[in-house]
Amino acid sequence: MNLSMIRYIAGWILSFEAAFLSLPCLIALLYREKEGIAFVAVLLVCLAIGLLLVWKKPKNTVFFAKEGFVSAALCWIIMSIFGALPFVLCGDIPSFTDALFETISGFTTTGASVLKDVESLSRCSMFWRCFTHWIGGMGVIVFLMTVLPLTGGSWIHLLRAESPGPSVGKLVPRMRHTAGILYLIYLCMTIIEIVLLLFGGVNWFDAVTISFGTAGTGGFSILNSGFVTYSSYVKIVVAVFMMLFGVNFNVYFLMLNRKFVQALRCEELRYYLMIIGISTLIITLNILSICGSFGKALEEAFFQVSSIITTTGFASADFNLWPQTSKTILVLLMFIGACAGSTGGGIKVSRLVILIKTIRKELASIIHPRSVKKIKMEGKPVEHEVLRSTNVFMITYVILFAFSVLLISFNGFDLTTNFTAVAATLNNIGPGLELVGPTGNFGFFSSFSKYVLMFDMLAGRLELFPMLLFFSPSTWMQSGFVRKKRFPLCKR
């Protein structure tokens, strides 16, 4: 394993985190908050350690999938630990476990919170809490590839480790240009949403923090009431942008190159929009008696469907009080998730489509044993490697999900709470049902359960395998940290 390269990447990540921390420092200066001292202190520590780690560039810059996955997992863990320190030092979140939970939830764009009173936070802490969504939405390693002049095919392993979806490729021949295009689209869409929210009468601080949560499909709100008090205009703008950020960014790249027909032919996009449309219609009719009018019901249904399927987690109503049909649909949407190559979490629509087509293929082969049929997406055969990785992902996902529910069940809470808590964290959604519903939080869980859910958030954001590989003993064999014992052969 190329440990020197992993060290080098971790150093740059800490250096970039120091740069990101400068923004909440400016917010503290603007609002004259003494809590900003904590952010300055952590900024200096991150910068010092980061510069120390990148002082000497490795001679061997080549690494493979294992190094890419380990680097991604390690960077997200380090980034979360240092990102939690300002909350502890300034006293806004005194418990390190709670601060780490909140920070991991932010960076992984989960939006699950342990805070009962969000409005009691200082402005700089509130800004940093929401800004972590924007940083984690597109991925900090993608940002690293955008800024640094990195070359070579090895960097595709980093992109694959951090980017969501069954398969990841290049938009253009050079990886740096691919990362740059992704971030440019991401930034422009965020700015457009901020401008539209400002037109709706939202103050600049709310507009920026809401847009951070929407762009990263995160879900942290700056109000205890969530989106209940915002106008219909604001809810519609946010709902539309949540849906847009859940689309594969390759579609936007094709549109920028005026390949509109090719973009609209995206099979995953059609299914994604179809699921949103059907779910919105059913829930609208189901909650019509609660809302009183069709327009209000449609507004609430569309907002929550967009929020849940994109794994954003914003709440404009307490859907924990909705009829069972509506709640069941929302839980199913938690698992489906957004499109591959978006900022959303979940299993992804493309994987679901591939799995359904695999089942159809198996049924057809039973009826016609001699038939040869390939699974296709958008008219092209799906590679065997993609099919294999999709099947393995689903098996791993089910095992990890079941094991996590078992572990947190020792707290003694009801099954709905435990089940949806794991679903909300592993799928990077935020709110669940019952005690972890939109009006609740995760603060009542024990420290052990919180660490289980933290692992789930990181595993869900990094598509399971980087985190599992990072904690696997076999990964570190012969790496310099763990030496495999060798036993002499027995002589006869």
Side-chain angles (χ1 to χ4, degrees):
M1 186 181 292
N2 193 343
L3 294 176
S4 59
M5 197 61 200
I6 295 175
R7 177 262 306 167
Y8 187 70
I9 294 170
W12 275 113
I13 292 297
L14 281 175
S15 300
F16 285 137
E17 185 165 19
F20 294 142
L21 282 165
S22 63
L23 288 180
C25 291
L26 292 175
I27 296 297
L29 185 64
L30 180 65
Y31 286 96
R32 298 180 180 180
E33 295 176 328
K34 62 180 181 179
E35 288 84 358
I37 299 174
F39 286 90
V40 174
V42 177
L43 183 155
L44 295 175
V45 172
C46 286
L47 186 61
I49 298 175
L51 292 177
L52 184 65
L53 292 176
V54 301
W55 185 260
K56 185 178 180 181
K57 187 175 181 179
K59 295 180 180 179
N60 180 17
T61 59
V62 178
F63 57 94
F64 302 96
K66 181 169 69 173
E67 284 89 347
F69 279 35
V70 169
S71 297
L74 179 63
C75 288
W76 279 75
I77 292 172
I78 292 175
M79 188 171 59
S80 299
I81 291 173
F82 281 92
L85 292 179
F87 293 131
V88 179
L89 294 177
C90 73
D92 281 338
I93 308 179
S95 168
F96 176 75
T97 298
D98 288 347
L100 185 62
F101 186 97
E102 202 77 10
T103 307
I104 290 177
S105 180
F107 279 126
T108 58
T109 71
T110 302
S113 181
V114 295
L115 302 177
K116 294 181 180 179
D117 185 11
V118 176
E119 297 176 28
S120 65
L121 295 176
S122 59
R123 287 281 179 170
C124 55
S125 291
M126 198 179 293
F127 182 89
W128 175 243
R129 181 172 172 264
C130 295
F131 189 41
T132 55
H133 278 337
W134 196 84
I135 297 170
M138 186 56 65
V140 69
I141 294 177
V142 175
F143 182 78
L144 172 67
M145 290 188 289
T146 305
V147 177
L148 292 182
L150 305 175
T151 58
S154 300
W155 297 103
I156 189 66
H157 298 306
L158 280 174
L159 187 63
R160 285 173 178 166
E162 193 178 53
S163 299
S167 62
V168 178
K170 302 177 184 178
L171 300 179
V172 291
R174 297 186 63 183
M175 282 300 305
R176 187 184 181 189
H177 291 170
T178 296
I181 290 168
L182 291 174
Y183 250 102
L184 182 61
I185 296 171
Y186 188 56
L187 178 62
C188 290
M189 290 177 65
T190 306
I191 293 173
I192 292 170
E193 183 183 359
I194 291 173
V195 172
L196 290 175
L197 289 176
L198 290 173
F199 278 135
V202 180
N203 66 71
W204 75 269
F205 187 86
D206 286 26
V208 171
T209 50
I210 289 171
S211 298
F212 283 162
T214 308
T217 60
F220 278 152
S221 178
I222 60 173
L223 298 177
N224 295 329
S225 58
F227 273 77
V228 175
T229 57
Y230 286 109
S231 65
S232 296
Y233 170 83
V234 173
K235 292 178 183 178
I236 292 170
V237 168
V238 173
V240 170
F241 272 89
M242 284 191 293
M243 182 180 66
L244 293 176
F245 279 107
V247 174
N248 192 322
F249 274 57
N250 288 2
V251 173
Y252 299 130
F253 174 74
L254 292 172
M255 288 182 174
L256 286 175
N257 286 274
R258 299 180 180 179
K259 298 180 181 179
F260 300 105
V261 176
Q262 189 176 347
L264 296 175
R265 282 179 181 174
C266 178
E267 190 172 352
E268 183 185 32
L269 176 62
R270 295 200 303 270
Y271 282 109
Y272 171 70
L273 296 177
M274 182 181 70
I275 292 170
I276 291 176
I278 294 173
S279 301
T280 301
L281 180 60
I282 295 174
I283 292 177
T284 299
L285 297 175
N286 195 228
I287 64 173
L288 190 59
S289 58
I290 298 175
C291 296
S293 66
F294 182 82
K296 182 64 176 178
L298 180 62
E299 176 189 309
E300 297 294 346
F302 178 56
F303 187 95
Q304 288 308 150
V305 168
S306 294
S307 177
I308 298 300
I309 194 171
T310 60
T311 69
T312 304
F314 284 142
S316 63
D318 186 4
F319 53 80
N320 206 26
L321 303 176
W322 286 2
Q324 291 298 325
T325 302
S326 297
K327 290 194 290 185
T328 302
I329 292 173
L330 291 179
V331 171
L332 292 175
L333 294 178
M334 289 182 183
F335 290 95
I336 294 172
C339 298
S342 69
T343 60
I347 294 173
K348 306 294 180 302
V349 175
S350 58
R351 282 199 182 98
L352 182 66
V353 173
I354 290 173
L355 288 170
I356 292 173
K357 289 188 176 184
T358 302
I359 295 172
R360 289 175 57 188
K361 178 178 175 292
E362 288 300 313
L363 292 174
S365 65
I366 294 173
I367 299 172
H368 305 286
R370 295 184 180 181
S371 65
V372 179
K373 187 177 181 181
K374 287 187 174 291
I375 297 173
K376 294 183 178 181
M377 286 285 286
E378 299 171 20
K380 299 177 182 178
V382 179
E383 296 178 2
H384 174 73
E385 181 65 24
V386 176
L387 293 175
R388 186 192 64 81
S389 65
T390 300
N391 293 332
V392 173
F393 175 89
M394 286 306 304
I395 294 170
T396 309
Y397 179 92
V398 171
I399 293 174
L400 181 60
F401 188 96
F403 192 59
S404 297
V405 172
L406 174 64
L407 289 177
I408 69 170
S409 67
F410 291 108
N411 282 156
F413 301 115
D414 62 278
L415 180 60
T416 302
T417 296
N418 295 334
F419 185 89
T420 56
V422 174
T425 50
L426 189 57
N427 295 315
N428 303 135
I429 295 166
L433 296 176
E434 298 299 337
L435 298 179
V436 291
T439 59
N441 60 71
F442 288 72
F444 57 85
F445 281 108
S446 66
S447 294
F448 172 76
S449 294
K450 286 176 183 175
Y451 279 102
V452 172
L453 297 174
M454 281 186 240
F455 178 87
D456 287 344
M457 286 189 278
L458 287 168
R461 176 60 183 84
L462 297 176
E463 301 281 283
L464 307 184
F465 297 109
M467 287 300 296
L468 295 175
L469 198 66
F470 181 81
F471 287 100
S472 174
S474 60
T475 302
W476 303 100
M477 293 297 181
Q478 302 299 331
S479 64
F481 289 104
V482 180
R483 295 287 182 184
K484 189 176 181 180
K485 293 183 178 180
R486 296 186 178 184
F487 299 94
L489 294 174
C490 297
K491 294 182 180 180
R492 292 184 178 180

